[in-house]
Short mmCIF file of all heavy atoms in Angstrom, two decimals:
data_model
loop_
_atom_site.label_atom_id
_atom_site.label_comp_id
_atom_site.label_asym_id
_atom_site.label_seq_id
_atom_site.Cartn_x
_atom_site.Cartn_y
_atom_site.Cartn_z
N ASN A 51 9.29 10.38 -0.39
CA ASN A 51 9.43 10.95 -1.73
C ASN A 51 8.79 12.28 -1.82
O ASN A 51 7.59 12.38 -1.60
CB ASN A 51 8.77 10.08 -2.76
CG ASN A 51 9.30 8.60 -2.72
OD1 ASN A 51 10.47 8.41 -2.82
ND2 ASN A 51 8.41 7.67 -2.49
N PHE A 52 9.59 13.32 -2.07
CA PHE A 52 9.02 14.70 -2.14
C PHE A 52 8.95 15.10 -3.60
O PHE A 52 9.94 14.97 -4.31
CB PHE A 52 9.80 15.63 -1.27
CG PHE A 52 9.20 17.03 -1.32
CD1 PHE A 52 8.10 17.37 -0.60
CD2 PHE A 52 9.77 17.99 -2.20
CE1 PHE A 52 7.50 18.66 -0.73
CE2 PHE A 52 9.23 19.30 -2.28
CZ PHE A 52 8.08 19.60 -1.56
N THR A 53 7.87 15.75 -3.97
CA THR A 53 7.76 16.32 -5.33
C THR A 53 6.95 17.58 -5.28
O THR A 53 6.27 17.88 -4.32
CB THR A 53 7.03 15.29 -6.26
OG1 THR A 53 6.63 15.91 -7.43
CG2 THR A 53 5.77 14.75 -5.60
N VAL A 54 7.16 18.45 -6.31
CA VAL A 54 6.32 19.65 -6.42
C VAL A 54 5.06 19.40 -7.18
O VAL A 54 4.20 20.25 -7.31
CB VAL A 54 7.12 20.85 -7.03
CG1 VAL A 54 8.22 21.31 -6.10
CG2 VAL A 54 7.64 20.47 -8.41
N SER A 55 4.93 18.16 -7.77
CA SER A 55 3.79 17.89 -8.54
C SER A 55 2.76 17.09 -7.78
O SER A 55 2.96 15.91 -7.41
CB SER A 55 4.19 17.10 -9.75
OG SER A 55 3.09 16.42 -10.37
N ASN A 56 1.60 17.73 -7.56
CA ASN A 56 0.47 17.01 -6.87
C ASN A 56 -0.02 15.76 -7.69
O ASN A 56 -0.38 14.78 -7.20
CB ASN A 56 -0.71 18.00 -6.65
CG ASN A 56 -0.34 19.01 -5.55
OD1 ASN A 56 0.47 18.76 -4.67
ND2 ASN A 56 -1.00 20.15 -5.63
N LYS A 57 0.08 15.96 -9.01
CA LYS A 57 -0.40 14.89 -9.88
C LYS A 57 0.43 13.70 -9.69
O LYS A 57 -0.11 12.51 -9.66
CB LYS A 57 -0.34 15.33 -11.31
CG LYS A 57 -1.45 16.29 -11.74
CD LYS A 57 -1.20 16.86 -13.16
CE LYS A 57 -2.34 17.65 -13.69
NZ LYS A 57 -3.73 17.21 -13.63
N ASP A 58 1.77 13.81 -9.52
CA ASP A 58 2.67 12.74 -9.25
C ASP A 58 2.26 11.97 -7.96
O ASP A 58 2.31 10.72 -7.92
CB ASP A 58 4.10 13.18 -9.16
CG ASP A 58 4.71 13.48 -10.50
OD1 ASP A 58 4.07 13.18 -11.53
OD2 ASP A 58 5.80 14.12 -10.53
N THR A 59 1.95 12.75 -6.97
CA THR A 59 1.50 12.12 -5.70
C THR A 59 0.31 11.26 -5.89
O THR A 59 0.24 10.10 -5.38
CB THR A 59 1.19 13.21 -4.65
OG1 THR A 59 2.36 14.04 -4.46
CG2 THR A 59 0.85 12.64 -3.31
N VAL A 60 -0.68 11.81 -6.63
CA VAL A 60 -1.91 11.03 -6.82
C VAL A 60 -1.60 9.73 -7.55
O VAL A 60 -2.10 8.70 -7.21
CB VAL A 60 -2.92 11.85 -7.65
CG1 VAL A 60 -4.17 11.04 -7.95
CG2 VAL A 60 -3.28 13.14 -6.91
N LYS A 61 -0.77 9.82 -8.57
CA LYS A 61 -0.52 8.67 -9.45
C LYS A 61 0.17 7.51 -8.65
O LYS A 61 -0.14 6.36 -8.85
CB LYS A 61 0.35 9.02 -10.64
CG LYS A 61 -0.41 9.92 -11.57
CD LYS A 61 0.24 9.84 -13.02
CE LYS A 61 -0.59 10.60 -14.05
NZ LYS A 61 -0.05 11.95 -14.35
N SER A 62 1.04 7.94 -7.66
CA SER A 62 1.79 6.96 -6.94
C SER A 62 1.21 6.52 -5.57
O SER A 62 1.75 5.85 -4.79
CB SER A 62 3.26 7.35 -6.71
OG SER A 62 3.21 8.66 -6.09
N SER A 63 -0.09 6.85 -5.37
CA SER A 63 -0.68 6.52 -4.07
C SER A 63 -1.94 5.73 -4.21
O SER A 63 -2.73 5.94 -5.16
CB SER A 63 -1.09 7.80 -3.27
OG SER A 63 0.01 8.73 -3.28
N ASP A 64 -2.25 4.95 -3.21
CA ASP A 64 -3.53 4.25 -3.03
C ASP A 64 -4.43 5.05 -2.11
O ASP A 64 -5.56 5.31 -2.40
CB ASP A 64 -3.39 2.82 -2.52
CG ASP A 64 -2.44 2.04 -3.36
OD1 ASP A 64 -2.58 1.96 -4.58
OD2 ASP A 64 -1.40 1.50 -2.81
N VAL A 65 -3.81 5.43 -1.01
CA VAL A 65 -4.48 6.24 -0.08
C VAL A 65 -3.96 7.70 -0.15
O VAL A 65 -2.75 7.90 0.00
CB VAL A 65 -4.35 5.78 1.39
CG1 VAL A 65 -5.02 6.66 2.43
CG2 VAL A 65 -4.86 4.31 1.57
N LEU A 66 -4.87 8.58 -0.51
CA LEU A 66 -4.39 9.97 -0.71
C LEU A 66 -4.95 10.92 0.34
O LEU A 66 -6.12 11.11 0.48
CB LEU A 66 -4.93 10.48 -2.07
CG LEU A 66 -4.51 11.79 -2.58
CD1 LEU A 66 -3.01 11.85 -2.90
CD2 LEU A 66 -5.33 12.24 -3.83
N PHE A 67 -4.01 11.47 1.15
CA PHE A 67 -4.40 12.45 2.21
C PHE A 67 -4.37 13.81 1.62
O PHE A 67 -3.39 14.24 1.03
CB PHE A 67 -3.45 12.34 3.38
CG PHE A 67 -3.66 11.23 4.27
CD1 PHE A 67 -2.98 10.00 4.08
CD2 PHE A 67 -4.52 11.26 5.36
CE1 PHE A 67 -3.16 8.90 4.95
CE2 PHE A 67 -4.73 10.19 6.21
CZ PHE A 67 -4.04 9.01 5.98
#
Side-chain angles (χ1 to χ4, degrees):
Chain A
N51 304 305
F52 180 79
T53 166
V54 292
S55 163
N56 290 334
K57 285 173 173 313
D58 284 349
T59 301
V60 177
K61 292 201 175 102
S62 54
S63 311
D64 305 307
V65 178
L66 182 69
F67 282 91

